[in-house]
Amino acid sequence: MPATSSATQSPAIVSSVTPSAQAPGQTASSDSAKLETTVQPSVIWVTVFDSKGNLLRTESGFFISAEGRFVTTARAIEGGVNAVAKTVDGGIHNVTGILAASKESDLAILQADVKKVPFLELNKNGNLPAGTGVVVVGSTLAENDGHARQMTIGAQNTGRLEIAGTLPPSSVGSPVLNETGQVVGVVTSAGEKTIARPAASLESLLSRVAVGTQARWQATAATPKPTPKPRMVYAPAPAFPPGVSQSGVSGTGRFHLTFDANGNVTNVQLVRSTGNPYFDQAAIKTFRQWKSAPSQGWSVTVPVTFQTR
C-alpha cells in the first residue's frame, strides 16, 4: 500500500520562527503563518475618543488576560475619556478605563468590558541578544494587512529593544513575539526605525496594579474640589432695634447675602421673615455692612434671632 498523509490541526505553539534569508519585516514562512493564526484573535484595534466624542487616535493593542486586560501605548490614550477595542472576529468592546500607565515606558494597561477573550502570555526571560529572531503581529483592522512579520533584534538596551527592519505606523502597540508565541516586547515606535519596550517593562507596570483596582479614565478621575468660602473680615451681629424692648418679644429669620469680588455685600435677600418688620429692617441694615476677604464672588444664607430677656 502506498504511504498517505492526512491534514491535521496545527498546535497552538509552533516549533520555530527563526528568520529566513528574507529581508526583516517581511512575511513568508509557514511557521510564522501558523503563529499569526494563533495570535491574531488576541490582537486588537483600539479607538480612543475625547470628552466631546471626537476621534483622537487609533492604535494596535493585545489582550494579556482572559478577563479583558490589554496593552497599548500611553500615547494612544492621552487625553482620552472613552475607547472601544475591536477584535478580528468583528467584536466591539467598551473600554471601561485605565489600570496603569507610564509615560516613561510609553505603555498602558486598560480594561475592556468582556466575558472571556483569548490572550497572550508574557515571556519573563529578558535576554534578547542582537540577532534573536522575533515576530510582530499587528491587527488585521489596521492599515497594514495584519500579517506576521519576521524580524530580528538589532540591539538591546535597558528598557529598550531596537528591532532591525521597518514597520508601518499602524504597528505601534503590537506585540513582539518569540518562537512560541509569548510576548517579549511591545512596539512603541515604527517607521524607518522600530523601537519596542521589553516584556520586563510591561511586567513592572503590571506590578503597580493592586488587587481590586478599578479601571478609570484619568481625564475624568479627578473630582474638582469645592471652592472654600472666603474668610469674613467684618461681620457684626444685628443690633436690637430701639423701641422694641417689651419683655418676651422675639423673632427668627433667614437672610441671603451676596458678595462681590472685593468682599462687599451687593444684595441682601429676605428668605424668611422674623415676623417683625423692625427686626427685618435692623438685620438688613447690619448685613449691608458686612465684608469678606476678596474672592471670585460668593453668597451665604445667615440665620438671625432677636429675643428680649
Side-chain angles (χ1 to χ4, degrees):
M1 294 289 292
T4 60
S5 62
S6 61
T8 59
Q9 183 68 31
S10 300
I13 299 178
V14 298
S15 59
S16 174
V17 290
T18 303
S20 62
Q22 287 189 307
Q26 298 206 351
T27 62
S29 78
S30 60
D31 285 338
S32 62
K34 293 176 183 178
L35 185 62
E36 174 190 322
T37 301
T38 304
V39 171
Q40 271 292 352
S42 304
V43 180
I44 57 178
W45 190 234
V46 185
T47 307
V48 184
F49 304 93
D50 64 14
S51 58
K52 296 181 179 179
N54 299 319
L55 174 65
L56 280 178
R57 59 192 68 87
T58 52
E59 196 168 280
S60 294
F62 55 94
F63 288 116
I64 57 172
S65 79
E67 294 75 27
R69 286 186 179 183
F70 70 89
V71 177
T72 189
T73 69
R75 283 176 295 172
I77 61 172
E78 188 173 355
V81 300
N82 189 25
V84 293
K86 301 177 182 179
T87 53
V88 67
D89 61 359
I92 301 178
H93 307 284
N94 181 53
V95 178
T96 57
I98 305 165
L99 291 167
S102 169
K103 288 186 177 181
E104 182 181 1
S105 62
D106 194 16
L107 295 175
I109 302 169
L110 294 91
Q111 178 69 51
D113 186 10
V114 299
K115 291 184 178 179
K116 188 176 181 180
V117 290
F119 64 96
L120 303 179
E121 293 184 358
L122 305 184
N123 183 280
K124 299 181 180 180
N125 180 12
N127 185 24
L128 292 171
T132 301
V134 292
V135 173
V136 176
V137 180
S139 170
T140 57
L141 303 176
E143 298 172 2
N144 59 64
D145 56 10
H147 288 317
R149 284 174 164 77
Q150 294 182 343
M151 310 187 79
T152 57
I153 300 297
Q156 179 182 19
N157 301 311
T158 303
R160 175 187 173 100
L161 296 174
E162 295 182 13
I163 301 177
T166 61
L167 288 172
S170 56
S171 295
V172 173
S174 298
V176 181
L177 309 160
N178 62 12
E179 71 276 5
T180 62
Q182 293 181 322
V183 177
V184 296
V186 183
V187 177
T188 55
S189 179
E192 293 299 322
K193 190 174 184 179
T194 301
I195 303 298
R197 294 294 181 182
S201 297
L202 185 53
E203 284 279 3
S204 176
L205 188 59
L206 269 171
S207 67
R208 303 182 195 176
V209 183
V211 176
T213 299
Q214 296 295 317
R216 63 182 185 180
W217 289 99
Q218 293 175 344
T220 58
T223 302
K225 295 181 179 179
T227 303
K229 293 180 180 179
R231 177 176 55 87
M232 294 300 301
V233 175
Y234 181 67
F240 204 96
V244 188
S245 58
Q246 295 90 342
S247 177
V249 175
S250 64
T252 298
R254 295 175 67 86
F255 300 82
H256 188 76
L257 283 61
T258 303
F259 295 82
D260 62 17
N262 295 321
N264 299 313
V265 175
T266 58
N267 184 50
V268 180
Q269 182 181 0
L270 179 63
V271 178
R272 188 181 69 190
S273 173
T274 62
N276 186 315
Y278 296 104
F279 289 161
D280 291 345
Q281 293 172 12
I284 292 173
K285 180 179 179 181
T286 302
F287 287 144
R288 291 191 182 279
Q289 303 173 33
W290 280 25
K291 289 185 67 67
S292 74
S295 67
Q296 295 181 349
W298 66 296
S299 61
V300 64
T301 299
V302 181
V304 175
T305 298
F306 291 89
Q307 186 172 10
T308 58
R309 298 180 179 179

